[in-house]
Amino acid sequence: SLNAMAENLQKALTRLEEANAQLAQDVEKERLLLAERKELVDSLSHEMKTPLSIIRAYAEGLQDEADDGKKQKYARIIISETEHMNDLILTLLDLSALESGAATLCITRFDFVELLETAAGRILANIPDGDFELQYELPEQKIFVQTDKQRMEQVLDNLILNARKNVRPGGILRLELTMDGEMLHFSVFNQGRLIPEDNLPKIWTKFYRDSNASYSGSGLGLSIVAQILSMQNLPYGAENMDDGVRFFFSITMAK
């Protein structure tokens, strides 16, 4: 009887320990969710201040302005700022979903060369103010990979757009896609101002902006790139070259 009692007691203690461990995991998960929500709210509050201030200022000006030309100009600015706010909110929600695990990858098999050509053509072709020289080195044959096609298109879009924004007037923007064994290596280079070495690790963090950059942005594009590639354990990075900056990542080819 004592042996049976001891065995039952041990089983009860084991179940209690398991329940406590599960409770601790649930509490930690809830704590992380609350922290993520707070960060999301804080980020939105911070980022909304500027466009809301602009909208209010031009809305007040619209009330008192008699000139029709200026009214149209103020209206265009208000519309532009609301579109900017909408894009920012959607991007931030998307990034938050990726970080929390709420968004998962939809894995399919597709031709990576075709995807890159489509993305590059959409972003770089026929740009009215495109004052740069486009160079590219792409394989002539199809190369298949197995990953989330839509998310990988996001990665390419953000990296190519980043290069386009940072290439110096008349500079070179170069796309490369090369093979090495089972690995496919992508890189995009833009001639232009280098990134201070101390800031290279920071460019992947949310809302990081280069104060010396000649353009404005949400500061979320490279964060999304890092998150999508990290979810798949794909190597990526950025490095300063002699006369510009090179961004890169690698992915395994599908058989």
Side-chain angles (χ1 to χ4, degrees), residues 168-206:
R168 74 186 185 202
I172 294 172
L173 192 157
R174 182 167 60 248
L175 297 171
E176 291 185 1
L177 191 62
T178 58
M179 295 176 288
D180 179 18
E182 298 180 348
M183 298 300 295
L184 185 63
H185 305 289
F186 167 82
S187 71
V188 55
F189 165 82
N190 66 270
Q191 271 189 329
R193 192 174 53 81
L194 305 185
I195 300 172
E197 290 295 328
D198 292 343
N199 291 345
L200 274 174
K202 301 176 185 177
I203 62 176
W204 308 104
T205 58
K206 280 186 290 191

mmCIF file of all heavy atoms in Angstrom, residues 168-206:
data_model
loop_
_atom_site.group_PDB
_atom_site.id
_atom_site.type_symbol
_atom_site.label_atom_id
_atom_site.label_comp_id
_atom_site.label_asym_id
_atom_site.label_seq_id
_atom_site.Cartn_x
_atom_site.Cartn_y
_atom_site.Cartn_z
ATOM 1 N N ARG A 168 23.751 56.988 -56.574
ATOM 2 C CA ARG A 168 24.062 58.396 -56.833
ATOM 3 C C ARG A 168 23.681 58.750 -58.271
ATOM 4 O O ARG A 168 23.598 57.859 -59.132
ATOM 5 C CB ARG A 168 25.543 58.644 -56.603
ATOM 6 C CG ARG A 168 26.451 58.093 -57.674
ATOM 7 C CD ARG A 168 27.910 58.251 -57.319
ATOM 8 N NE ARG A 168 28.762 57.822 -58.409
ATOM 9 C CZ ARG A 168 30.022 57.445 -58.253
ATOM 10 N NH1 ARG A 168 30.571 57.427 -57.048
ATOM 11 N NH2 ARG A 168 30.742 57.081 -59.293
ATOM 12 N N PRO A 169 23.423 60.023 -58.571
ATOM 13 C CA PRO A 169 23.074 60.424 -59.932
ATOM 14 C C PRO A 169 24.147 59.979 -60.926
ATOM 15 O O PRO A 169 25.334 60.254 -60.750
ATOM 16 C CB PRO A 169 23.007 61.950 -59.848
ATOM 17 C CG PRO A 169 22.670 62.229 -58.410
ATOM 18 C CD PRO A 169 23.381 61.163 -57.625
ATOM 19 N N GLY A 170 23.724 59.254 -61.956
ATOM 20 C CA GLY A 170 24.651 58.759 -62.956
ATOM 21 C C GLY A 170 25.424 57.532 -62.527
ATOM 22 O O GLY A 170 26.267 57.023 -63.278
ATOM 23 N N GLY A 171 25.145 57.016 -61.317
ATOM 24 C CA GLY A 171 25.882 55.869 -60.785
ATOM 25 C C GLY A 171 25.374 54.540 -61.308
ATOM 26 O O GLY A 171 24.395 54.457 -62.047
ATOM 27 N N ILE A 172 26.040 53.486 -60.900
ATOM 28 C CA ILE A 172 25.720 52.132 -61.345
ATOM 29 C C ILE A 172 24.832 51.437 -60.322
ATOM 30 O O ILE A 172 25.097 51.496 -59.116
ATOM 31 C CB ILE A 172 27.003 51.305 -61.563
ATOM 32 C CG1 ILE A 172 27.814 51.878 -62.727
ATOM 33 C CG2 ILE A 172 26.683 49.836 -61.810
ATOM 34 C CD1 ILE A 172 29.182 51.236 -62.892
ATOM 35 N N LEU A 173 23.787 50.787 -60.804
ATOM 36 C CA LEU A 173 22.971 49.887 -59.993
ATOM 37 C C LEU A 173 23.103 48.512 -60.648
ATOM 38 O O LEU A 173 22.716 48.328 -61.799
ATOM 39 C CB LEU A 173 21.520 50.347 -59.958
ATOM 40 C CG LEU A 173 20.601 49.672 -58.917
ATOM 41 C CD1 LEU A 173 19.413 50.565 -58.604
ATOM 42 C CD2 LEU A 173 20.121 48.302 -59.367
ATOM 43 N N ARG A 174 23.660 47.558 -59.900
ATOM 44 C CA ARG A 174 23.981 46.258 -60.499
ATOM 45 C C ARG A 174 23.277 45.119 -59.755
ATOM 46 O O ARG A 174 23.381 44.998 -58.533
ATOM 47 C CB ARG A 174 25.485 46.016 -60.488
ATOM 48 C CG ARG A 174 25.896 44.702 -61.137
ATOM 49 C CD ARG A 174 27.390 44.626 -61.408
ATOM 50 N NE ARG A 174 28.179 44.744 -60.188
ATOM 51 C CZ ARG A 174 28.952 45.783 -59.902
ATOM 52 N NH1 ARG A 174 29.025 46.805 -60.732
ATOM 53 N NH2 ARG A 174 29.653 45.806 -58.794
ATOM 54 N N LEU A 175 22.575 44.278 -60.525
ATOM 55 C CA LEU A 175 21.923 43.081 -59.995
ATOM 56 C C LEU A 175 22.723 41.858 -60.417
ATOM 57 O O LEU A 175 23.104 41.740 -61.591
ATOM 58 C CB LEU A 175 20.497 42.961 -60.534
ATOM 59 C CG LEU A 175 19.507 44.066 -60.168
ATOM 60 C CD1 LEU A 175 18.219 43.895 -60.963
ATOM 61 C CD2 LEU A 175 19.207 44.049 -58.685
ATOM 62 N N GLU A 176 22.948 40.938 -59.476
ATOM 63 C CA GLU A 176 23.672 39.711 -59.787
ATOM 64 C C GLU A 176 22.952 38.515 -59.176
ATOM 65 O O GLU A 176 22.463 38.586 -58.043
ATOM 66 C CB GLU A 176 25.105 39.773 -59.259
ATOM 67 C CG GLU A 176 25.988 40.767 -59.987
ATOM 68 C CD GLU A 176 27.427 40.689 -59.510
ATOM 69 O OE1 GLU A 176 27.729 39.844 -58.630
ATOM 70 O OE2 GLU A 176 28.254 41.480 -60.000
ATOM 71 N N LEU A 177 22.900 37.439 -59.951
ATOM 72 C CA LEU A 177 22.344 36.177 -59.473
ATOM 73 C C LEU A 177 23.276 35.071 -59.953
ATOM 74 O O LEU A 177 23.381 34.823 -61.161
ATOM 75 C CB LEU A 177 20.926 35.966 -60.017
ATOM 76 C CG LEU A 177 20.122 34.830 -59.396
ATOM 77 C CD1 LEU A 177 19.902 35.069 -57.899
ATOM 78 C CD2 LEU A 177 18.782 34.685 -60.104
ATOM 79 N N THR A 178 23.976 34.454 -59.021
ATOM 80 C CA THR A 178 24.976 33.455 -59.377
ATOM 81 C C THR A 178 24.718 32.156 -58.625
ATOM 82 O O THR A 178 24.054 32.136 -57.581
ATOM 83 C CB THR A 178 26.391 33.953 -59.053
ATOM 84 O OG1 THR A 178 26.473 34.264 -57.650
ATOM 85 C CG2 THR A 178 26.723 35.201 -59.857
ATOM 86 N N MET A 179 25.271 31.051 -59.147
ATOM 87 C CA MET A 179 25.116 29.736 -58.534
ATOM 88 C C MET A 179 26.455 29.239 -58.008
ATOM 89 O O MET A 179 27.500 29.507 -58.597
ATOM 90 C CB MET A 179 24.562 28.744 -59.565
ATOM 91 C CG MET A 179 23.158 29.063 -60.045
ATOM 92 S SD MET A 179 22.607 27.921 -61.353
ATOM 93 C CE MET A 179 23.628 28.498 -62.726
ATOM 94 N N ASP A 180 26.381 28.522 -56.894
ATOM 95 C CA ASP A 180 27.571 27.917 -56.310
ATOM 96 C C ASP A 180 27.145 26.623 -55.628
ATOM 97 O O ASP A 180 26.607 26.650 -54.520
ATOM 98 C CB ASP A 180 28.223 28.864 -55.295
ATOM 99 C CG ASP A 180 29.460 28.258 -54.647
ATOM 100 O OD1 ASP A 180 29.995 27.283 -55.203
ATOM 101 O OD2 ASP A 180 29.875 28.747 -53.575
ATOM 102 N N GLY A 181 27.369 25.496 -56.312
ATOM 103 C CA GLY A 181 26.913 24.225 -55.768
ATOM 104 C C GLY A 181 25.399 24.177 -55.743
ATOM 105 O O GLY A 181 24.729 24.352 -56.763
ATOM 106 N N GLU A 182 24.829 23.986 -54.557
ATOM 107 C CA GLU A 182 23.374 23.943 -54.404
ATOM 108 C C GLU A 182 22.797 25.292 -54.007
ATOM 109 O O GLU A 182 21.578 25.417 -53.826
ATOM 110 C CB GLU A 182 22.986 22.897 -53.343
ATOM 111 C CG GLU A 182 23.391 21.472 -53.703
ATOM 112 C CD GLU A 182 22.982 20.496 -52.629
ATOM 113 O OE1 GLU A 182 22.595 20.958 -51.523
ATOM 114 O OE2 GLU A 182 23.033 19.279 -52.876
ATOM 115 N N MET A 183 23.652 26.302 -53.885
ATOM 116 C CA MET A 183 23.209 27.604 -53.406
ATOM 117 C C MET A 183 23.057 28.608 -54.551
ATOM 118 O O MET A 183 23.831 28.619 -55.511
ATOM 119 C CB MET A 183 24.178 28.165 -52.378
ATOM 120 C CG MET A 183 24.319 27.309 -51.125
ATOM 121 S SD MET A 183 22.760 27.083 -50.244
ATOM 122 C CE MET A 183 22.412 28.767 -49.726
ATOM 123 N N LEU A 184 22.040 29.447 -54.411
ATOM 124 C CA LEU A 184 21.791 30.551 -55.333
ATOM 125 C C LEU A 184 22.059 31.846 -54.573
ATOM 126 O O LEU A 184 21.503 32.059 -53.492
ATOM 127 C CB LEU A 184 20.340 30.506 -55.813
ATOM 128 C CG LEU A 184 19.908 31.507 -56.889
ATOM 129 C CD1 LEU A 184 20.683 31.274 -58.184
ATOM 130 C CD2 LEU A 184 18.410 31.362 -57.151
ATOM 131 N N HIS A 185 22.926 32.699 -55.127
ATOM 132 C CA HIS A 185 23.338 33.923 -54.439
ATOM 133 C C HIS A 185 22.811 35.149 -55.189
ATOM 134 O O HIS A 185 23.093 35.328 -56.378
ATOM 135 C CB HIS A 185 24.867 34.001 -54.345
ATOM 136 C CG HIS A 185 25.487 32.808 -53.694
ATOM 137 N ND1 HIS A 185 25.363 32.542 -52.348
ATOM 138 C CD2 HIS A 185 26.227 31.795 -54.222
ATOM 139 C CE1 HIS A 185 26.011 31.427 -52.054
ATOM 140 N NE2 HIS A 185 26.532 30.954 -53.185
ATOM 141 N N PHE A 186 22.059 35.978 -54.479
ATOM 142 C CA PHE A 186 21.545 37.230 -55.034
ATOM 143 C C PHE A 186 22.279 38.401 -54.396
ATOM 144 O O PHE A 186 22.569 38.393 -53.197
ATOM 145 C CB PHE A 186 20.048 37.375 -54.748
ATOM 146 C CG PHE A 186 19.525 38.770 -55.003
ATOM 147 C CD1 PHE A 186 19.190 39.183 -56.281
ATOM 148 C CD2 PHE A 186 19.404 39.684 -53.962
ATOM 149 C CE1 PHE A 186 18.729 40.471 -56.514
ATOM 150 C CE2 PHE A 186 18.939 40.975 -54.178
ATOM 151 C CZ PHE A 186 18.598 41.364 -55.466
ATOM 152 N N SER A 187 22.554 39.426 -55.201
ATOM 153 C CA SER A 187 23.122 40.662 -54.649
ATOM 154 C C SER A 187 22.673 41.844 -55.487
ATOM 155 O O SER A 187 22.402 41.714 -56.687
ATOM 156 C CB SER A 187 24.656 40.606 -54.603
ATOM 157 O OG SER A 187 25.208 40.679 -55.903
ATOM 158 N N VAL A 188 22.558 43.001 -54.834
ATOM 159 C CA VAL A 188 22.247 44.251 -55.520
ATOM 160 C C VAL A 188 23.213 45.302 -54.984
ATOM 161 O O VAL A 188 23.367 45.473 -53.784
ATOM 162 C CB VAL A 188 20.768 44.665 -55.320
ATOM 163 C CG1 VAL A 188 20.403 44.759 -53.847
ATOM 164 C CG2 VAL A 188 20.473 45.984 -56.033
ATOM 165 N N PHE A 189 23.865 45.985 -55.911
ATOM 166 C CA PHE A 189 24.883 46.985 -55.564
ATOM 167 C C PHE A 189 24.453 48.340 -56.103
ATOM 168 O O PHE A 189 23.926 48.439 -57.219
ATOM 169 C CB PHE A 189 26.232 46.600 -56.165
ATOM 170 C CG PHE A 189 27.239 47.713 -56.182
ATOM 171 C CD1 PHE A 189 27.988 48.018 -55.055
ATOM 172 C CD2 PHE A 189 27.430 48.479 -57.327
ATOM 173 C CE1 PHE A 189 28.906 49.051 -55.066
ATOM 174 C CE2 PHE A 189 28.351 49.512 -57.352
ATOM 175 C CZ PHE A 189 29.095 49.803 -56.214
ATOM 176 N N ASN A 190 24.655 49.372 -55.308
ATOM 177 C CA ASN A 190 24.419 50.731 -55.807
ATOM 178 C C ASN A 190 25.633 51.604 -55.503
ATOM 179 O O ASN A 190 26.148 51.605 -54.386
ATOM 180 C CB ASN A 190 23.162 51.341 -55.164
ATOM 181 C CG ASN A 190 23.302 51.565 -53.670
ATOM 182 O OD1 ASN A 190 22.979 50.675 -52.884
ATOM 183 N ND2 ASN A 190 23.753 52.742 -53.266
ATOM 184 N N GLN A 191 26.098 52.288 -56.537
ATOM 185 C CA GLN A 191 27.146 53.282 -56.335
ATOM 186 C C GLN A 191 26.554 54.444 -55.558
ATOM 187 O O GLN A 191 25.456 54.909 -55.857
ATOM 188 C CB GLN A 191 27.692 53.777 -57.679
ATOM 189 C CG GLN A 191 28.838 52.969 -58.227
ATOM 190 C CD GLN A 191 29.476 53.623 -59.439
ATOM 191 O OE1 GLN A 191 28.800 54.304 -60.207
ATOM 192 N NE2 GLN A 191 30.755 53.414 -59.631
ATOM 193 N N GLY A 192 27.289 54.900 -54.558
ATOM 194 C CA GLY A 192 26.779 55.999 -53.757
ATOM 195 C C GLY A 192 27.496 56.071 -52.428
ATOM 196 O O GLY A 192 28.533 55.432 -52.213
ATOM 197 N N ARG A 193 26.925 56.854 -51.540
ATOM 198 C CA ARG A 193 27.531 57.079 -50.238
ATOM 199 C C ARG A 193 27.556 55.791 -49.424
ATOM 200 O O ARG A 193 26.590 55.033 -49.403
ATOM 201 C CB ARG A 193 26.747 58.168 -49.495
ATOM 202 C CG ARG A 193 27.435 58.696 -48.243
ATOM 203 C CD ARG A 193 26.633 59.869 -47.690
ATOM 204 N NE ARG A 193 25.229 59.507 -47.490
ATOM 205 C CZ ARG A 193 24.794 58.849 -46.421
ATOM 206 N NH1 ARG A 193 25.639 58.472 -45.486
ATOM 207 N NH2 ARG A 193 23.518 58.569 -46.295
ATOM 208 N N LEU A 194 28.675 55.530 -48.745
ATOM 209 C CA LEU A 194 28.812 54.329 -47.924
ATOM 210 C C LEU A 194 28.020 54.483 -46.627
ATOM 211 O O LEU A 194 27.698 55.589 -46.195
ATOM 212 C CB LEU A 194 30.282 54.062 -47.609
ATOM 213 C CG LEU A 194 31.240 53.946 -48.800
ATOM 214 C CD1 LEU A 194 32.640 53.543 -48.311
ATOM 215 C CD2 LEU A 194 30.732 52.952 -49.827
ATOM 216 N N ILE A 195 27.717 53.343 -45.999
ATOM 217 C CA ILE A 195 27.064 53.331 -44.690
ATOM 218 C C ILE A 195 28.158 53.253 -43.634
ATOM 219 O O ILE A 195 29.032 52.388 -43.720
ATOM 220 C CB ILE A 195 26.125 52.113 -44.555
ATOM 221 C CG1 ILE A 195 25.039 52.145 -45.628
ATOM 222 C CG2 ILE A 195 25.490 52.064 -43.167
ATOM 223 C CD1 ILE A 195 24.188 50.882 -45.676
ATOM 224 N N PRO A 196 28.167 54.148 -42.652
ATOM 225 C CA PRO A 196 29.175 54.043 -41.586
ATOM 226 C C PRO A 196 29.189 52.633 -41.008
ATOM 227 O O PRO A 196 28.132 52.043 -40.750
ATOM 228 C CB PRO A 196 28.707 55.073 -40.549
ATOM 229 C CG PRO A 196 27.931 56.077 -41.348
ATOM 230 C CD PRO A 196 27.258 55.294 -42.441
ATOM 231 N N GLU A 197 30.377 52.075 -40.817
ATOM 232 C CA GLU A 197 30.496 50.689 -40.377
ATOM 233 C C GLU A 197 29.722 50.424 -39.082
ATOM 234 O O GLU A 197 29.128 49.357 -38.910
ATOM 235 C CB GLU A 197 31.977 50.325 -40.195
ATOM 236 C CG GLU A 197 32.757 50.227 -41.497
ATOM 237 C CD GLU A 197 32.287 49.093 -42.384
ATOM 238 O OE1 GLU A 197 31.839 48.068 -41.839
ATOM 239 O OE2 GLU A 197 32.365 49.226 -43.615
ATOM 240 N N ASP A 198 29.717 51.384 -38.174
ATOM 241 C CA ASP A 198 28.991 51.205 -36.907
ATOM 242 C C ASP A 198 27.484 51.096 -37.118
ATOM 243 O O ASP A 198 26.781 50.549 -36.263
ATOM 244 C CB ASP A 198 29.292 52.366 -35.951
ATOM 245 C CG ASP A 198 30.732 52.368 -35.468
ATOM 246 O OD1 ASP A 198 31.390 51.322 -35.609
ATOM 247 O OD2 ASP A 198 31.192 53.406 -34.968
ATOM 248 N N ASN A 199 26.997 51.628 -38.233
ATOM 249 C CA ASN A 199 25.560 51.626 -38.490
ATOM 250 C C ASN A 199 25.085 50.423 -39.298
ATOM 251 O O ASN A 199 23.876 50.201 -39.414
ATOM 252 C CB ASN A 199 25.148 52.904 -39.226
ATOM 253 C CG ASN A 199 25.270 54.140 -38.353
ATOM 254 O OD1 ASN A 199 25.397 54.039 -37.139
ATOM 255 N ND2 ASN A 199 25.243 55.297 -38.969
ATOM 256 N N LEU A 200 26.010 49.648 -39.858
ATOM 257 C CA LEU A 200 25.612 48.510 -40.686
ATOM 258 C C LEU A 200 24.683 47.536 -39.953
ATOM 259 O O LEU A 200 23.684 47.096 -40.519
ATOM 260 C CB LEU A 200 26.850 47.774 -41.210
ATOM 261 C CG LEU A 200 27.458 48.322 -42.500
ATOM 262 C CD1 LEU A 200 28.748 47.605 -42.840
ATOM 263 C CD2 LEU A 200 26.472 48.217 -43.655
ATOM 264 N N PRO A 201 24.964 47.177 -38.686
ATOM 265 C CA PRO A 201 24.036 46.256 -38.000
ATOM 266 C C PRO A 201 22.674 46.892 -37.713
ATOM 267 O O PRO A 201 21.694 46.177 -37.520
ATOM 268 C CB PRO A 201 24.769 45.925 -36.686
ATOM 269 C CG PRO A 201 26.200 46.299 -36.922
ATOM 270 C CD PRO A 201 26.155 47.453 -37.863
ATOM 271 N N LYS A 202 22.605 48.217 -37.676
ATOM 272 C CA LYS A 202 21.371 48.904 -37.293
ATOM 273 C C LYS A 202 20.361 49.005 -38.430
ATOM 274 O O LYS A 202 19.181 49.243 -38.182
ATOM 275 C CB LYS A 202 21.688 50.325 -36.796
ATOM 276 C CG LYS A 202 22.633 50.376 -35.607
ATOM 277 C CD LYS A 202 22.952 51.832 -35.262
ATOM 278 C CE LYS A 202 23.984 51.933 -34.165
ATOM 279 N NZ LYS A 202 24.357 53.342 -33.879
ATOM 280 N N ILE A 203 20.813 48.847 -39.669
ATOM 281 C CA ILE A 203 19.925 49.096 -40.805
ATOM 282 C C ILE A 203 18.782 48.088 -40.889
ATOM 283 O O ILE A 203 17.784 48.346 -41.553
ATOM 284 C CB ILE A 203 20.702 49.086 -42.140
ATOM 285 C CG1 ILE A 203 21.334 47.720 -42.387
ATOM 286 C CG2 ILE A 203 21.760 50.187 -42.150
ATOM 287 C CD1 ILE A 203 22.045 47.593 -43.718
ATOM 288 N N TRP A 204 18.908 46.953 -40.193
ATOM 289 C CA TRP A 204 17.868 45.929 -40.235
ATOM 290 C C TRP A 204 16.816 46.126 -39.145
ATOM 291 O O TRP A 204 15.843 45.375 -39.093
ATOM 292 C CB TRP A 204 18.497 44.545 -40.091
ATOM 293 C CG TRP A 204 19.614 44.305 -41.054
ATOM 294 C CD1 TRP A 204 20.952 44.315 -40.774
ATOM 295 C CD2 TRP A 204 19.516 44.018 -42.455
ATOM 296 N NE1 TRP A 204 21.687 44.062 -41.903
ATOM 297 C CE2 TRP A 204 20.836 43.871 -42.949
ATOM 298 C CE3 TRP A 204 18.438 43.861 -43.336
ATOM 299 C CZ2 TRP A 204 21.091 43.582 -44.288
ATOM 300 C CZ3 TRP A 204 18.704 43.572 -44.666
ATOM 301 C CH2 TRP A 204 20.017 43.434 -45.130
ATOM 302 N N THR A 205 17.002 47.095 -38.265
ATOM 303 C CA THR A 205 16.070 47.303 -37.157
ATOM 304 C C THR A 205 14.927 48.220 -37.590
ATOM 305 O O THR A 205 15.087 49.065 -38.480
ATOM 306 C CB THR A 205 16.775 47.922 -35.943
ATOM 307 O OG1 THR A 205 17.377 49.171 -36.324
ATOM 308 C CG2 THR A 205 17.854 46.994 -35.420
ATOM 309 N N LYS A 206 13.778 48.057 -36.931
ATOM 310 C CA LYS A 206 12.594 48.855 -37.280
ATOM 311 C C LYS A 206 12.843 50.345 -37.087
ATOM 312 O O LYS A 206 13.428 50.763 -36.093
ATOM 313 C CB LYS A 206 11.410 48.426 -36.404
ATOM 314 C CG LYS A 206 10.731 47.171 -36.874
ATOM 315 C CD LYS A 206 9.491 46.880 -36.077
ATOM 316 C CE LYS A 206 9.804 46.462 -34.660
ATOM 317 N NZ LYS A 206 8.609 45.938 -33.962
#
